[in-house]
Amino acid sequence: MTTAIFWPTFALVALVYAVLLMLGVKRFGYIRSNPPRRADFASSAAMKSYFTPVSGPADNLSNLFEMPVLYFALVPLLLLFHHANHIQVALAWLFVALRVAHSIVHIGGARANVRFIIYFAGCIVLSVMWIGFAIDMAGATSAAAANAL
């Protein structure tokens, strides 16, 4: 077992906090330059409309709690069952690199098709990680059953 899986995980957590910090900076800067009225915060729809010009970091932060949740669920399982091998670590780094690229493109306002390609590639990498784990678990289960006989 390798604990090297922690490093890409720490990097993904750092990305979440970096996007959160960027969200705060953008929103407070926007509030200073465009003072809100009471009506701008009367409802979630009004608030969303008010912050539309600086919505990139908020949208990206929300996105970081979609597919990455499956990554954060997988890491403890890989450690618990001793399957955090070098292949999984390499895939984890690739997934995190794609998430960083996705955040840069998403916050930078690039075209949606570029963002989708990066997002989809990350989904594929994460799927490969889960499939690899499932195969490893099936093999371990088969081996345990064979030894029990």
Side-chain angles (χ1 to χ4, degrees):
M1 179 178 88
T2 179
T3 56
I5 196 81
F6 284 127
W7 297 112
T9 304
F10 292 148
L12 188 55
V13 169
L15 175 63
V16 171
Y17 279 106
V19 171
L20 180 63
L21 178 65
M22 184 178 294
L23 170 63
V25 168
K26 292 256 186 190
R27 281 194 171 176
F28 285 118
Y30 186 74
I31 288 170
R32 270 195 301 277
S33 64
N34 299 289
R37 300 163 302 152
R38 175 175 272 175
D40 292 326
F41 292 96
S43 68
S44 60
M47 188 170 79
K48 185 172 181 159
S49 177
Y50 172 75
F51 282 120
T52 295
V54 291
S55 64
D59 293 342
N60 188 253
L61 185 63
S62 176
N63 192 266
L64 285 170
F65 288 94
E66 292 172 1
M67 289 306 288
V69 168
L70 294 175
Y71 171 84
F72 288 124
L74 179 60
V75 169
L77 293 171
L78 291 170
L79 290 166
L80 179 67
F81 292 102
H82 306 284
H83 292 291
N85 57 41
H86 297 294
I87 293 170
Q88 288 286 19
V89 172
L91 290 169
W93 275 117
L94 180 56
F95 177 72
V96 171
L98 288 165
R99 292 309 310 181
V100 169
H102 179 266
S103 291
I104 290 168
V105 169
H106 196 183
I107 294 169
R111 295 189 322 224
N113 60 342
V114 173
R115 192 172 77 225
F116 175 76
I117 291 167
I118 295 168
Y119 177 85
F120 189 67
C123 291
I124 291 171
V125 170
L126 187 57
S127 296
V128 169
M129 290 179 73
W130 271 101
I131 291 167
F133 176 63
I135 291 168
D136 287 346
M137 289 303 294
T141 302
S142 295
N147 288 339
L149 296 175

